Amino acid sequence: MEYLEFELPIKELEDQLQKCMVIGEESEVDVTETCSQIEKKLEETRKEIYKNLTAWQRVQLSRHPNRPYTMDYIRAICGDTFLELHGDRNVKDDKAMIGGLGKIGDQSYMFIGQQKGYNTKTRQYRNFGMANPEGYRKALRLMKSAEKFGIPVVCFIDTPGAYPGIEAEERGQGEAIARNILEMTRLKVPIIVIIIGEGASGGALGIGVGDKVLMLENTWYSVISPESCSSILWRSWEYKEQAAEALKLTAADMKKQKLVDEIVKEPLGGAHANREKTFETVKNKISSHYEELKKLSPKDLVKTRMEKYASMGVFSE
């Protein structure tokens, strides 16, 4: 397990507990009471730290190296039923954007999402979760296939942004994202969007239009990352914590502004602290929201979705 800077008090107590247990095993000294005291202190410290997280600390948690990625969710939710589909039928298969068919119970879904890597080699292979235009066009192709066969769409968002390279711009990055936003507003099947990590800029919006948009508790959703915002405003990354607060990018901020529909609670310590519980929670949320959405006709589904997005940012004094 890797620890973030603000989690170091937890690490110290866990190390103490481990040493205490080793002493108990290697000697005849009764350390039961001491271990219980450390365990109690550890639980209190965990609750205190995770109860008072700042916006920047939530950004850090969303990037935690042990945090589950899109394929982890899909494998846990669908098991052996997942069939990955490849290519945009135009340029190539973008490894940063994955998608395919899978089942929850007897219901089929089209799963789409950005995929990050676990080490240097796979991070390069997945382009750090930053999709090229062909990735968004692949996603759109899969959504259109889902619409053709009446299959609901589930999108997992976890990206630091769309790939900003010259070749991506040459192949129409902006157009690809804009096309996806347009087509998703009028797709005639239910769309459930779940932000599982980073939700940055147009890279997230390219698969982010949905009837229900959910955010895991320790994720963020914003037009720009705190570091980039800090470098633009202050010409330095040193003010990233201040930028994170100002951007109002946490799940609680997004819910307050009515930009997302629901916050999905994570286990104490983050999604990586208890992966199985997180997977089960997300699986149940997908099923329950689909049960609600499938009652609507395609016409009502599109109408409700368009009204929802048209009302965003509207204020009355």
Side-chain angles (χ1 to χ4, degrees):
M1 177 68 77
E2 295 187 44
Y3 295 87
L4 300 169
E5 190 178 345
F6 66 87
E7 294 177 312
L8 291 179
I10 295 171
K11 183 181 185 301
E12 289 173 12
L13 286 166
E14 285 181 345
D15 289 343
Q16 286 178 26
L17 181 61
Q18 188 63 33
K19 286 174 185 175
C20 186
M21 291 168 73
V22 169
I23 290 169
E25 289 170 6
E26 293 179 353
S27 67
E28 296 179 1
V29 179
D30 184 8
V31 294
T32 309
E33 189 178 339
T34 307
C35 285
S36 296
Q37 288 175 351
I38 296 171
E39 283 176 348
K40 186 180 178 184
K41 177 69 174 171
L42 180 59
E43 189 64 24
E44 288 172 356
T45 305
R46 273 204 189 102
K47 286 179 180 176
E48 188 62 30
I49 287 174
Y50 295 118
K51 186 177 71 177
N52 301 300
L53 291 175
T54 65
W56 173 244
Q57 286 170 342
R58 291 196 189 278
V59 171
Q60 288 178 291
L61 271 178
S62 75
R63 299 168 175 168
H64 198 289
N66 300 124
R67 194 173 177 87
Y69 296 142
T70 296
M71 281 304 295
D72 297 317
Y73 283 93
I74 291 173
R75 288 192 189 106
I77 289 169
C78 302
D80 297 332
T81 66
F82 181 66
L83 173 68
E84 188 173 355
L85 301 171
H86 300 272
D88 71 335
R89 301 295 185 267
N90 189 15
V91 178
K92 63 176 183 178
D93 182 39
D94 191 336
K95 306 300 182 186
M97 185 76 75
I98 59 104
L101 291 164
K103 283 189 172 184
I104 298 178
D106 295 326
Q107 176 61 48
S108 294
Y109 294 86
M110 182 66 80
F111 290 94
I112 297 166
Q114 291 104 351
Q115 176 66 24
K116 293 178 177 177
Y118 301 94
N119 52 38
T120 303
K121 188 176 180 180
T122 56
R123 281 173 193 142
Q124 289 176 330
Y125 179 72
R126 297 289 181 185
N127 200 31
F128 300 88
M130 297 187 291
N132 277 280
E134 52 269 24
Y136 293 99
R137 288 173 183 137
K138 171 167 78 170
L140 181 57
R141 180 178 75 81
L142 299 184
M143 289 179 210
K144 285 293 186 182
S145 295
E147 182 182 48
K148 182 179 178 180
F149 296 104
I151 298 169
V153 175
V154 176
C155 295
F156 291 108
I157 293 177
D158 187 12
T159 180
Y163 183 58
I166 292 173
E167 61 272 33
E169 297 300 335
E170 287 173 342
R171 292 197 297 273
Q173 185 72 286
E175 187 276 336
I177 291 170
R179 174 68 58 184
N180 277 25
I181 294 170
L182 170 66
E183 296 294 345
M184 288 182 85
T185 58
R186 59 192 187 190
L187 207 70
K188 294 182 177 66
V189 291
I191 308 172
I192 298 167
V193 176
I194 307 167
I195 299 156
I196 58 171
E198 299 183 271
S201 194
L205 282 177
I207 57 167
V209 178
D211 301 293
K212 295 292 179 183
V213 180
L214 318 180
M215 274 185 86
L216 265 66
E217 193 178 6
N218 297 309
T219 61
W220 63 277
Y221 200 19
S222 175
V223 70
I224 194 170
S225 70
E227 295 95 329
S228 298
C229 178
S230 175
S231 66
I232 290 169
L233 294 180
W234 292 283
R235 300 288 189 270
S236 167
W237 278 22
E238 290 179 15
Y239 299 93
K240 55 186 180 290
E241 294 179 39
Q242 191 175 331
E245 291 292 341
L247 284 166
K248 302 294 181 189
L249 43 65
T250 66
D253 292 321
M254 289 289 109
K255 182 72 171 68
K256 187 178 178 181
Q257 297 293 337
K258 298 181 180 177
L259 298 173
V260 300
D261 300 292
E262 186 180 343
I263 299 171
V264 180
K265 194 162 178 62
E266 294 183 23
L268 191 67
H272 57 283
N274 188 338
R275 286 178 164 227
E276 288 70 28
K277 186 178 179 182
T278 305
F279 296 147
E280 189 63 28
T281 303
V282 170
K283 179 181 175 180
N284 292 337
K285 291 290 181 186
I286 292 169
S287 296
S288 63
H289 282 297
Y290 174 65
E291 287 300 314
E292 182 186 332
L293 292 169
K294 75 176 185 180
K295 296 171 186 173
L296 297 173
S297 67
K299 187 178 178 181
D300 289 338
L301 200 65
V302 173
K303 182 173 178 285
T304 306
R305 190 187 305 144
M306 284 191 165
E307 286 174 353
K308 170 187 168 183
Y309 280 90
S311 66
M312 286 182 181
V314 176
F315 295 90
S316 56
E317 293 184 7

